[in-house]
Amino acid sequence: MSDHIEHAHTHVLEDGTVVSHTHGHTHSHEQTKAVLNRLSRAIGHLESIKRMVEDGRDCSEVLIQLSAVKSAINNTGKIILQDHIEHCIVDAVEHGDRNAIKELEKAIDRFMK
């Protein structure tokens, strides 16, 4: 089952041209559910790490668990990024929306830090 989500917005291109369009993306319900499940697991894992700190657990153990959460978050980000490229960026390129590419570059830069 998929959900149809439309996003209407306006962009100003480099040459000053104003482009208004609607992104009609069909996102896989399974993918959305997978992302939400991964985020829920990461939140639960963070809560358990918080309890470890409260209980005075060994710092090395806490760091190892934090590393696992970082990995889970990065993998979740990869799924979201892949979906964004496959749907939003393809649509933006088809509509000549260079701003969307710049926004993606900014998002990747922040995500990779």
Side-chain angles (χ1 to χ4, degrees):
M1 182 175 198
S2 26
D3 297 319
H4 187 72
I5 303 168
E6 292 197 7
H7 302 280
H9 54 275
T10 302
H11 296 284
V12 179
L13 303 181
E14 289 177 356
D15 64 1
T17 305
V18 177
V19 177
S20 295
H21 61 276
T22 301
H23 290 281
H25 305 301
T26 302
H27 293 278
S28 166
H29 183 69
E30 290 175 54
Q31 210 166 28
T32 300
K33 186 176 179 181
V35 166
L36 292 173
N37 286 340
R38 285 170 177 258
L39 290 172
S40 292
R41 280 195 306 270
I43 290 166
H45 201 158
L46 276 174
E47 289 292 335
S48 70
I49 295 169
K50 181 180 174 188
R51 285 190 299 276
M52 288 175 71
V53 171
E54 290 169 344
D55 294 344
R57 296 279 296 270
D58 181 69
C59 294
S60 295
E61 292 177 34
V62 172
L63 290 169
I64 290 167
Q65 295 305 314
L66 282 172
S67 176
V69 171
K70 278 176 53 177
S71 179
I73 295 295
N74 284 337
N75 288 331
T76 304
K78 287 177 190 176
I79 292 170
I80 293 169
L81 180 59
Q82 180 181 2
D83 182 61
H84 182 60
I85 290 169
E86 290 174 358
H87 297 284
C88 305
I89 297 302
V90 167
D91 186 64
V93 168
E94 289 173 355
H95 290 89
D97 182 359
R98 295 175 189 252
N99 191 47
I101 305 279
K102 287 181 181 177
E103 291 300 317
L104 173 61
E105 289 171 354
K106 286 182 200 172
I108 289 172
D109 185 51
R110 288 184 182 144
F111 181 71
M112 298 300 289
K113 287 186 177 180

